[in-house]
Amino acid sequence: DRHVLSPLEELQRRCAHRETQERVLQCVHQLLRSCGAGLVEGWLLILSILWRAATKPALLPLLPLAIRSVQLIASDFLPSLPPPCLLAYVEVAAAYGNQADHLNASLTAIGLQWTISDFLLEYAADEDPPGASSAAEPTDEEEEDEEDAFPAPSGRASPPPPAAAASAASASAAESA
């Protein structure tokens, strides 16, 4: 999945044409609909694309298109998200919730925060919540990668370089295997 998503993420970062940006978001949505359940290493790339759509001023006109994918993740794929991606997804939903010019997207994202909370509470009752292991003390290797983490809980304003997102996704896939 990284082989398909990496070029899309790169295209979104480098291309300023609105039509291209729109096609990237449509492609991400179609990928989620058709094979989202099979995603393993591509979640951080998808979240990076969606986060950029909410935080880059040039992409704000495409926000209604992008929020559909954010909603789809909440409704169908929260249990599939690896723990490091769950925190990134919370940040993505928060970025959409902070939109002042797109009230519908903002209200939708606030509803998604409730969905995320319900999901975490449901799993907390049964077992350790997803992402609980990430609250442990970081290792030396994790401390080095911390500055490239996608989007940081502190409200970092720029997405990670694609290599950092890909390496973080590979590391989480290796840990779960």
Side-chain angles (χ1 to χ4, degrees), residues 4-14 24 45 48-49 52 159-162 165:
V4 172
L5 292 167
S6 291
L8 283 175
E9 195 264 346
E10 183 76 17
L11 187 62
Q12 186 196 34
R13 280 190 307 111
R14 294 184 180 227
V24 167
L45 292 171
S48 177
I49 290 168
R52 195 174 289 110

Side-chain angles (χ1 to χ4, degrees), residues 2-152:
R2 276 192 13 229
H3 298 294
V4 172
L5 292 167
S6 291
L8 283 175
E9 195 264 346
E10 183 76 17
L11 187 62
Q12 186 196 34
R13 280 190 307 111
R14 294 184 180 227
C15 186
H17 299 292
R18 180 186 163 113
E19 295 83 17
T20 304
Q21 297 291 339
E22 187 174 342
R23 293 289 184 189
V24 167
L25 292 171
Q26 288 172 345
C27 188
V28 165
H29 189 72
Q30 186 60 35
L31 281 168
L32 284 170
R33 286 182 31 189
S34 63
C35 57
L39 281 176
V40 178
E41 297 180 7
W43 283 113
L44 283 177
L45 292 171
I46 285 179
L47 294 173
S48 177
I49 290 168
L50 295 173
W51 186 72
R52 195 174 289 110
T55 58
K56 254 183 117 175
L59 298 179
L60 290 181
L62 300 175
L63 207 67
L65 176 62
I67 191 75
R68 294 183 317 153
S69 295
V70 178
Q71 284 180 288
L72 184 60
I73 292 171
S75 64
D76 294 357
F77 304 117
L78 275 181
S80 304
L81 286 176
C85 297
L86 189 58
L87 180 59
Y89 179 73
V90 170
E91 290 293 327
V92 168
Y96 284 83
N98 285 331
Q99 300 301 317
D101 294 334
H102 293 276
L103 183 61
N104 286 342
S106 181
L107 292 173
T108 299
I110 291 168
L112 294 177
Q113 295 288 355
W114 280 103
T115 302
I116 296 165
S117 297
D118 290 343
F119 170 76
L120 292 173
L121 286 173
E122 177 184 321
Y123 280 94
D126 296 336
E127 57 188 61
D128 290 335
S133 61
S134 64
E137 288 292 319
T139 63
D140 291 338
E141 185 177 310
E142 288 172 342
E143 288 175 2
E144 291 173 11
D145 292 339
E146 207 168 279
E147 63 188 49
D148 290 330
F150 170 70

Side-chain angles (χ1 to χ4, degrees), residues 152-169:
S154 62
R156 180 176 167 172
S158 62
S167 67

